[in-house]
Amino acid sequence: MRLLLHLALTTAIVLLSDVNGGSAGITSKFIRTEWPSIDIPLDNEAFAVPKGHNSPQQVHITQGDYDGKAVIISWVTPHEPGPSTVSYGTSADKFDFTAEGTVNNYTFYKYKSGYIHQCLVDGLEYDTKYYYKIGSGDSSREFWFQTPPKIDPDASYKFGIIGDLGQTYNSLSTLEHYMESGAQTVLFLGDLSYADRYQFIDVGVRWDSWGRFVERSAAYQPWIWSAGNHEIEYMTYMGEVVPFKSYLHRYPTPHLASKSSSPLWYAIRRASAHIIVLSSYSPFVKYTPQWEWLREELKKVDREKTPWLIVLMHVPIYNSNEAHFMEGESMRAAFESWFVRYKVDVVFAGHVHAYERSYRISNLHYNISSGDCFPVPDKSAPVYITVGDGGNQEGLAGKFRYPQPDYSAFREASYGHSTLEIKNRTHAFYHWNRNDDGKKVATDSFILHNQYW
């Protein structure tokens, strides 16, 4: 193990180091020749509709409970409800069990969705490959997924991290590269389809195309969802004023398992990780439901069982890009002291269409009557990483602020995705992979040392 760690340390392109060590942050000079930031045409094979009358489409799964022994399987039938049954088992040609789900639909302006099915499949065994079938007759479709290892401090597991994906050719490059990574679950940082950049019925049409777009991955492994600003869809000119309407109908979360009052914030445990999902666009100041929930959830974290404490949000707390600069300041004021007190390992965010990683820093002493307004090195603080570079049609955020702040370790305006490979209770390998003209290029890497152990 020591040899492996030594090799990783010597080959990592950029290593995490203490700010006090005098390590200067890096602003990459790489300028990519990107594909145009336009959505893929609807008739492209990336959005292919499965064959067969009323065949299930837009299939995706997410964790369905607190500890990883259940999944929620979701799909859409376009023409009629059809069965909401999932047949499943541990053999590809034998489905020994069934589970019954629910079906509903919704309208958005004059768009009427297909029939959205959601089925909880629980009581699963850990570390087991399950095959499942949905639909009926010749239109049925079959998929599979792998359950995680049991909750254990030394359980190894590999997560992918994607944010602000959209449905452009750059998005497709990110998704295809991610699928080659060997990661087992996606931690998604918000801004899914960017359907809100369309109008009238095309909003719903682009939610449908995005569902078919990500199915190639999301039908086979859990995507852990968080919501961004493009999910709000507050469109008064169309009479649509219910926030997150499309998102909440289409992408369920296991929020009740962590006693959350909203699907927009929740927590799960998976392998050796305790993952907390926060909502940047829901009330979070003192005494609000999200604030009260997070206070109690952090008390439940047992680092003896799940040593890795990971937080997901959409708006970054630390960001040195001109885009969305200081938009996360209010959430920093509300939650940063808790992140330090409970020694959160890493906070992942999206929103800014670029990549940036911080050192371990905090800004706990700042208030409106003091002059201590600069982040300082803090060994108990998380690493803050922005991965809002999935590939959406708004393009890259290429204007970083200068000089580069002391807290910023590495930053680059390129599309890509990240992976976090947990090896044991003490070490995890992190990689950010740039999409370089259609090729995956490992660009920023380091070894993450667990805060508790």
Side-chain angles (χ1 to χ4, degrees):
M1 183 62 189
R2 289 182 179 178
L3 177 60
L4 288 174
L5 292 176
H6 174 74
L7 289 172
L9 280 167
T10 56
T11 57
I13 297 172
V14 178
L15 296 177
L16 182 64
S17 57
D18 193 287
V19 173
N20 286 330
S23 298
I26 296 173
T27 298
S28 172
K29 302 299 183 183
F30 177 83
I31 300 176
R32 82 169 255 113
T33 305
E34 61 185 275
W35 290 305
S37 294
I38 56 174
D39 280 349
I40 300 171
L42 289 172
D43 60 358
N44 189 279
E45 63 180 1
F47 305 134
V49 176
K51 296 179 180 179
H53 173 71
N54 208 44
S55 183
Q57 58 173 265
Q58 306 175 49
V59 184
H60 57 90
I61 68 175
T62 193
Q63 185 160 314
D65 64 353
Y66 198 52
D67 286 335
K69 297 189 72 175
V71 296
I72 302 171
I73 302 175
S74 304
W75 69 96
V76 174
T77 49
H79 305 301
E80 56 196 56
S84 296
T85 304
V86 174
S87 301
Y88 65 100
T90 56
S91 174
D93 54 2
K94 188 178 181 182
F95 303 100
D96 294 323
F97 311 102
T98 59
E100 291 295 328
T102 61
V103 60
N104 59 43
N105 59 6
Y106 73 98
T107 59
F108 195 91
Y109 184 62
K110 295 182 180 180
Y111 164 85
K112 183 177 180 181
S113 75
Y115 296 92
I116 302 170
H117 303 255
Q118 295 170 355
C119 183
L120 175 67
V121 179
D122 57 6
L124 303 173
E125 298 295 325
Y126 284 124
D127 204 15
T128 301
K129 187 173 185 178
Y130 284 91
Y131 301 84
Y132 68 98
K133 182 171 72 172
I134 53 178
S136 60
D138 294 338
S139 298
S140 65
R141 301 181 67 198
E142 299 179 12
F143 305 89
W144 57 265
F145 61 87
Q146 177 85 22
T147 54
K150 68 178 181 180
I151 302 296
D152 183 88
D154 287 310
S156 60
Y157 203 76
K158 190 172 186 179
F159 293 98
I161 302 99
I162 300 175
D164 301 70
L165 185 58
Q167 43 193 305
T168 70
Y169 289 102
N170 294 303
S171 313
L172 180 60
S173 178
T174 296
L175 187 55
E176 289 178 338
H177 290 151
Y178 165 71
M179 292 173 64
E180 297 171 356
S181 71
Q184 298 155 283
T185 291
V186 170
L187 306 179
F188 195 85
L189 304 175
D191 284 0
L192 286 70
S193 67
Y194 285 77
D196 67 332
R197 290 178 61 83
Y198 291 83
Q199 294 182 324
F200 309 116
I201 66 170
D202 287 337
V203 176
V205 169
R206 277 297 179 173
W207 272 108
D208 288 330
S209 63
W210 195 83
R212 295 192 296 272
F213 177 68
V214 298
E215 181 188 272
R216 70 197 69 203
S217 170
Y220 298 93
Q221 61 175 237
W223 283 41
I224 308 304
W225 302 108
S226 61
N229 54 297
H230 285 280
E231 279 70 71
I232 298 173
E233 294 185 331
Y234 185 76
M235 298 177 169
T236 56
Y237 67 93
M238 291 194 295
E240 292 294 343
V241 296
V242 177
F244 304 105
K245 185 177 181 179
S246 302
Y247 172 78
L248 291 176
H249 273 90
R250 292 171 181 269
Y251 293 95
T253 66
H255 68 287
L256 295 177
S258 58
K259 296 181 171 55
S260 167
S261 59
S262 170
L264 297 172
W265 62 85
Y266 61 99
I268 61 169
R269 304 195 305 175
R270 196 167 185 87
S272 52
H274 194 121
I275 299 165
I276 293 176
V277 178
L278 298 178
S279 177
S280 298
Y281 297 100
S282 302
F284 54 76
V285 297
K286 194 172 185 178
Y287 307 127
T288 60
Q290 186 171 195
W291 185 93
E292 295 279 7
W293 173 84
L294 180 59
R295 182 177 63 171
E296 295 306 311
E297 183 63 29
L298 286 169
K299 295 175 184 177
K300 298 177 186 177
V301 179
D302 185 350
R303 305 297 279 272
E304 297 286 334
K305 295 180 179 179
T306 50
W308 294 96
L309 181 53
I310 300 168
V311 174
L312 313 181
M313 60 179 62
H314 186 62
V315 179
I317 284 179
Y318 286 99
N319 162 41
S320 67
N321 199 295
E322 291 287 357
H324 306 302
F325 183 63
M326 289 191 71
E327 287 185 18
E329 184 65 8
S330 54
M331 184 170 275
R332 185 199 65 77
F335 294 149
E336 184 180 27
S337 62
W338 289 353
F339 294 165
V340 174
R341 181 191 312 169
Y342 288 95
K343 295 187 175 181
V344 171
D345 290 292
V346 60
V347 176
F348 290 110
H351 199 38
V352 178
H353 301 163
Y355 173 77
E356 185 168 16
R357 170 173 61 85
S358 80
Y359 296 109
R360 292 195 185 279
I361 43 87
S362 67
N363 194 7
L364 301 181
H365 300 294
Y366 171 71
N367 60 59
I368 60 173
S369 62
S370 79
D372 300 326
C373 56
F374 298 103
V376 296
D378 190 335
K379 293 181 179 179
S380 296
V383 176
Y384 294 91
I385 302 179
T386 300
V387 193
D389 53 357
N392 67 83
Q393 63 167 261
E394 291 181 339
L396 292 168
K399 294 183 180 180
F400 287 104
R401 295 174 65 87
Y402 285 92
Q404 184 171 359
D406 289 341
Y407 66 76
S408 176
F410 184 90
R411 56 189 192 173
E412 179 178 308
S414 292
Y415 295 118
H417 75 277
S418 296
T419 57
L420 180 67
E421 185 174 6
I422 296 172
K423 305 302 292 186
N424 52 39
R425 71 183 69 192
T426 60
H427 293 82
F429 297 162
Y430 172 84
H431 297 268
W432 174 61
N433 301 281
R434 175 205 298 150
N435 301 346
D436 181 3
D437 298 325
K439 301 176 182 178
K440 184 178 74 172
V441 180
T443 307
D444 182 33
S445 306
F446 67 93
I447 293 177
L448 188 65
H449 298 268
N450 185 265
Q451 289 283 66
Y452 180 82
W453 289 97

